[in-house]
């Protein structure tokens, strides 16, 4: 274990939370003039989008490392032009961010899952996937495992992407800035579906996305100690040291081989001066 990480684990104050969430307890609806609603005694949250406005919510807590799960049921039918975003983000021009974005589709086409990682205000690390199921028929679990060595994106427990800590090679990694959870449903028909060629059909509005079963096994930094790295023993699921074993790596390779439709690490046209340095690391 690196000395800096060990020091943080031994000295930093932190709060641990591990619970199945209640939306009243964990989130605030933040915009949309009533289009974001918490229902069923806090067990369900819905976002709607119409021609006037979309809607959104954010977490009450900031998190610094953890395993964060949310079950989402996406906009059904012709959702072209819409984007349902679910992400972690800090604030400011050098913010960190970990993104799930679901790009709407014409009825019958698969949804596109867009992922990205920002470090110190720098993104441009997009990977896109076609989902191997219909995410509008039922709820599915979208998870972020974030620890000092990895950011792992998971869908129904299957890893689809692993962004590794490569600070030793001069590549920034999100580890110092606490982040809140944000989600929004909004109109992005200038780019979201087939590069903006397919526009939103407002005759299908209002569009609806639903959320349930938020679960956080995570660290919430204390106000007097903004950096925090909890003792692994306090994390019942071991997320602090979680990485992909050989079985999980094979699952991720299967997803990327069969369902990944864009990888910034293969886009030589976009990066004519050379691919980003993390792309050369296996």
């Amino acid at each position: 274990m690196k000395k800096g990480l060990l020091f943080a684990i031994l000295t930093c104050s932190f709060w641990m939370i591990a619970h199945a969430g209640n939306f009243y307890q964990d989130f605030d609806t933040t915009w949309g003039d009533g289009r974001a609603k918490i229902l069923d005694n806090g067990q369900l949250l819905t976002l709607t989008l119409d021609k006037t406005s979309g809607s959104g919510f954010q977490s009450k807590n900031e998190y610094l490392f953890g395993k964060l799960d949310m079950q989402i049921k996406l906009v059904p039918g012709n959702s072209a032009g819409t984007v349902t975003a679910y992400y972690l983000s800090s604030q400011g021009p050098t913010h960190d961010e970990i993104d799930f974005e679901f790009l709407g589709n014409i009825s019958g086409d698969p949804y596109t899952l867009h992922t990205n990682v920002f470090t110190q205000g720098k993104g441009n690390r997009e990977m896109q996937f076609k989902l191997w199921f219909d995410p509008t028929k039922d709820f599915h679990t979208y998870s972020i495992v974030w620890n000092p060595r990895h950011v792992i994106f998971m869908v129904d427990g299957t890893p689809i992407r692993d962004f590794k800590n490569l600070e030793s090679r001069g590549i920034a990694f999100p580890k110092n800035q606490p982040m809140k959870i944000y989600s929004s449903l909004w109109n992005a028909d200038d780019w979201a579906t087939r590069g903006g060629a397919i526009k939103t059909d407002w005759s299908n509005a209002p569009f609806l996305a639903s959320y349930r079963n938020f679960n956080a096994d995570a660290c919430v930094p204390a106000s007097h100690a903004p950096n925090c790295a909890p003792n692994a023993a306090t994390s019942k699921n071991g997320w602090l040291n979680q990485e992909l074993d050989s079985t999980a790596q094979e699952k991720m390779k299967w997803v990327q081989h069969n369902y990944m439709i864009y990888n910034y690490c293969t886009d030589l046209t976009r990066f004519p001066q050379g691919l980003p340095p993390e792309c050369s690391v296996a």
Side-chain angles (χ1 to χ4, degrees):
M1 180 179 291
K2 294 182 180 179
K3 291 182 179 179
L5 176 59
L6 178 61
F7 177 79
I9 291 173
L10 293 176
T11 64
C12 288
S13 298
F14 58 86
W15 304 328
M16 287 297 299
I17 61 172
H19 63 84
N22 179 292
F23 284 109
Y24 285 121
Q25 174 185 333
D26 294 318
F27 293 94
D28 293 312
T29 58
T30 49
W31 64 282
D33 193 24
R35 291 172 178 83
K37 298 181 185 298
I38 298 176
L39 305 166
D40 295 348
N41 296 315
Q43 299 306 302
L44 179 71
L45 190 153
T46 60
L47 297 181
T48 56
L49 164 69
D50 57 35
K51 200 167 186 178
T52 301
S53 178
S55 52
F57 65 87
Q58 70 181 46
S59 62
K60 297 179 186 290
N61 287 322
E62 291 185 316
Y63 304 95
L64 186 60
F65 306 132
K67 182 175 186 291
L68 302 162
D69 306 313
M70 183 73 83
Q71 289 193 333
I72 306 174
K73 182 162 65 173
L74 297 175
V75 175
N78 182 354
S79 58
T82 71
V83 172
T84 306
Y86 173 70
Y87 60 101
L88 287 165
S89 183
S90 60
Q91 299 298 309
T94 58
H95 75 292
D96 295 335
E97 186 172 321
I98 302 168
D99 293 342
F100 279 112
E101 289 186 289
F102 303 91
L103 312 186
N105 63 339
I106 301 174
S107 299
D109 286 354
Y111 252 85
T112 295
L113 170 54
H114 176 101
T115 67
N116 203 354
V117 178
F118 286 74
T119 57
Q120 297 294 305
K122 177 183 178 295
N124 298 323
R125 299 187 177 103
E126 299 91 346
M127 291 184 179
Q128 292 185 343
F129 305 82
K130 294 295 186 185
L131 291 172
W132 52 95
F133 53 84
D134 184 342
T136 74
K137 297 296 186 185
D138 202 351
F139 288 88
H140 291 267
T141 303
Y142 303 93
S143 305
I144 294 168
V145 175
W146 173 32
N147 63 41
R149 296 182 183 85
H150 298 268
V151 174
I152 303 170
F153 296 77
M154 305 180 78
V155 177
D156 289 335
T158 297
I160 65 170
R161 179 176 184 178
D162 182 6
F163 183 80
K164 299 176 182 178
N165 185 335
L166 298 172
E167 290 179 303
S168 62
R169 305 194 182 203
I171 301 162
F173 186 83
K175 69 172 190 178
N176 297 315
Q177 299 187 69
M179 294 192 273
K180 287 190 173 184
I181 297 170
Y182 298 87
S183 190
S184 58
L185 175 57
W186 53 290
N187 180 44
D189 66 4
D190 57 333
W191 66 272
T193 306
R194 297 187 185 174
I198 309 298
K199 302 301 182 183
T200 303
D201 182 353
W202 292 109
S203 69
N204 295 308
F207 302 99
L208 177 75
S210 303
Y211 302 74
R212 73 179 187 189
N213 290 346
F214 171 69
N215 189 76
D217 183 6
C219 172
V220 177
S223 60
H224 62 278
N227 293 317
C228 110
N231 189 310
T234 68
S235 177
K236 64 181 181 180
N237 295 323
W239 54 260
L240 180 67
N241 295 308
Q242 185 170 341
E243 57 185 16
L244 300 183
D245 60 19
S246 59
T247 300
Q249 289 181 33
E250 286 303 313
K251 290 181 179 179
M252 185 174 70
K253 289 178 182 177
W254 174 81
V255 172
Q256 293 186 354
H257 177 75
N258 291 287
Y259 296 100
M260 187 163 63
I261 59 172
Y262 178 80
N263 181 357
Y264 76 107
C265 278
T266 62
D267 194 342
L268 294 170
T269 301
R270 184 179 176 190
F271 301 104
Q273 302 305 315
L275 295 171
E278 64 267 23
C279 296
S280 63
V281 180

